Amino acid sequence: MAFARPLFEKGEINRAGEILVDRRSATSEERAWAQSVLSNYRACHAYPINTFQALLRKKLKTIDADALVAQRLKRAPSVLLKLRRFKDMKLARMQDIGGLRAVVGSIRNVRELEREYRNASFKHILVSAKDYIAEPKADGYRSIHLIYKYQNPLAPQYNGLQLELQLRTKLQHAWATAVETMGTFLGQALKSGQGERSWREFFLAASAALAVVEKCPPVPGYEAMSKEDIARQVSGLERDLRVLDKLNSFAIAADRILTQSGSGTYNLVVLNSSERTVSIRPFALARLDEANAAYAEVEARAASGEAVEAVLVAAGPVDALRKAYPNYFLDTQAFVAQIRKLINSVGA
């Protein structure tokens, strides 16, 4: 069987999360056990994700044939950061360990896809829906999140696992990519609303400008500002921080993308930000357990201080990977082009 099967009860999963968050009070044996629990629990989400991605691709054929679809298992550092930020959070209740993303060309397509899911007749249970386009987050993040509890009588061992489906436009995707890329090089969790105030202010203003472009509700703090005033604020912050120059300098050259031979349903993408290289290692579905083990090994290297970030994804060939996960290729061209266009519009 290629897909991992659940090996632990909810109480054990939650206990593992507690150990990994507060490592100092645990023995080395307990930490090793907790890591094995997290690895298994995360890997179990691959089966439900695979079911959902097939349906998502089917729906997109009639809504937006050029849409990007990606699926991923949440990175262990991101899991632990979330457990630390939200003190009442339990690992077994975390809703986005398994995630899918659809990136479409317009707000209209986002809304059409959202309606398709809200009106779906499948057995999976919609347990939460967050519309961060109608009501953007305080840091400027915009997207729609639909959380489903998996239900399948043919695979009951996975019932109850939760998946997050993100629906966003290409502009929203470009903004989120730039935030993650800059966060990587600043060593700041900008994606989680942390980090230097000046950088957070820039990305909030940039999101406000993109919301105007997409004719969407304003982000917090920009409700009373005109399009021109927002553009001028973006321009001033960009000039002070030299954002576009920095983002352009991060881009990884094509000859620094190291792709191992072979093909597979899954790809382990590893960014080494100090060496400015990306390695892509393909895994066939039958080797998914090996892929999860390799994923855990790279995360262990990161935990020991190595400047590497990994993600295990299914998004097709390299070109599709770059579009679906541009932050792992430090590719922010779409965001840079849009912000430069905005700055030029006000003659700044």
Side-chain angles (χ1 to χ4, degrees):
M1 178 69 175
F3 291 102
R5 301 171 68 92
L7 300 177
F8 303 95
E9 299 294 331
K10 285 186 178 180
E12 294 175 298
I13 295 168
N14 289 333
R15 175 57 182 154
E18 293 167 0
I19 290 172
L20 292 171
V21 167
D22 186 17
R23 294 172 59 89
R24 291 173 297 180
S25 62
T27 66
S28 59
E29 291 79 9
E30 288 174 326
R31 291 195 295 270
W33 172 83
Q35 187 60 58
S36 68
V37 173
L38 173 58
S39 295
N40 172 257
Y41 184 57
R42 179 175 63 180
C44 288
H45 288 74
Y47 186 92
I49 288 175
N50 192 58
T51 303
F52 262 70
Q53 66 87 19
L55 176 62
L56 177 58
R57 292 179 188 278
K58 182 178 179 181
K59 289 181 180 297
L60 284 170
K61 284 182 179 179
T62 57
I63 295 174
D64 187 342
D66 295 324
L68 299 174
V69 174
Q71 60 191 69
R72 64 98 181 100
L73 298 174
K74 195 175 185 72
R75 298 168 53 241
S78 298
V79 171
L80 300 186
L81 178 61
K82 193 167 188 176
L83 289 174
R84 293 188 181 103
R85 287 179 62 212
F86 302 100
K87 301 303 181 183
D88 295 331
M89 174 71 68
K90 299 295 183 182
L91 181 55
R93 293 207 311 264
M94 194 171 289
Q95 297 176 327
D96 61 344
I97 289 180
L100 297 97
R101 178 181 299 154
V103 181
V104 298
S106 68
I107 294 293
R108 179 180 178 180
N109 289 345
V110 168
R111 294 304 182 190
E112 187 175 354
L113 185 58
E114 179 191 14
R115 285 193 296 272
E116 278 285 320
Y117 271 92
R118 286 186 177 275
N119 297 328
S121 59
F122 50 48
K123 296 181 181 295
H124 313 299
I125 302 168
L126 179 63
V127 297
S128 176
K130 298 290 180 62
D131 188 343
Y132 296 121
I133 297 177
E135 297 183 24
K137 287 188 176 183
D139 63 357
Y141 178 83
R142 298 186 305 129
S143 180
I144 290 176
H145 291 190
L146 303 177
I147 307 297
Y148 284 94
K149 185 175 289 186
Y150 190 75
Q151 294 293 324
N152 184 350
L154 300 179
Q157 65 271 35
Y158 300 107
N159 287 350
L161 292 179
Q162 297 186 87
L163 303 175
E164 179 184 76
L165 174 60
Q166 295 180 1
L167 315 179
R168 59 171 64 161
T169 67
K170 291 179 180 178
L171 280 181
Q172 292 159 9
H173 190 49
W175 178 89
T177 296
V179 171
E180 291 194 44
T181 299
M182 188 58 72
T184 294
F185 277 90
L186 293 175
Q188 302 175 23
L190 297 177
K191 179 182 177 182
S192 301
Q194 302 174 34
E196 293 178 26
R197 181 177 178 179
S198 57
W199 284 102
R200 290 186 283 113
E201 287 178 344
F202 167 78
F203 282 112
L204 179 60
S207 179
L210 297 181
V212 171
V213 171
E214 294 188 307
K215 297 181 172 60
C216 289
V219 303
Y222 286 81
E223 295 87 350
M225 290 182 66
S226 69
K227 175 181 178 180
E228 291 73 20
D229 286 342
I230 294 173
R232 290 190 184 94
Q233 184 161 340
V234 171
S235 178
L237 290 166
E238 192 284 326
R239 183 171 55 250
D240 293 342
L241 296 168
R242 297 181 56 247
V243 180
L244 301 189
D245 286 345
K246 286 183 171 67
L247 288 175
N248 278 327
S249 71
F250 295 157
I252 293 176
D255 63 358
R256 303 294 284 170
I257 300 173
L258 315 172
T259 305
Q260 294 189 18
S261 61
S263 60
T265 304
Y266 294 88
N267 289 280
L268 180 63
V269 183
V270 181
L271 164 66
N272 187 314
S273 55
S274 63
E275 297 180 1
R276 301 277 286 281
T277 61
V278 173
S279 66
I280 303 171
R281 183 179 175 187
F283 290 89
L285 179 59
R287 298 173 58 212
L288 183 55
D289 54 345
E290 183 181 341
N292 279 300
Y295 190 10
E297 187 274 330
V298 176
E299 290 183 327
R301 288 163 49 197
S304 68
E306 193 173 340
V308 292
E309 295 181 42
V311 65
L312 182 63
V313 301
V318 173
D319 285 347
L321 279 173
R322 291 197 69 148
K323 292 177 181 177
Y325 290 93
N327 50 298
Y328 280 88
F329 296 83
L330 308 181
D331 184 355
T332 58
Q333 291 182 22
F335 178 80
V336 168
Q338 188 65 42
I339 298 303
R340 197 176 299 284
K341 178 180 178 181
L342 181 75
I343 292 172
N344 291 338
S345 73
V346 292

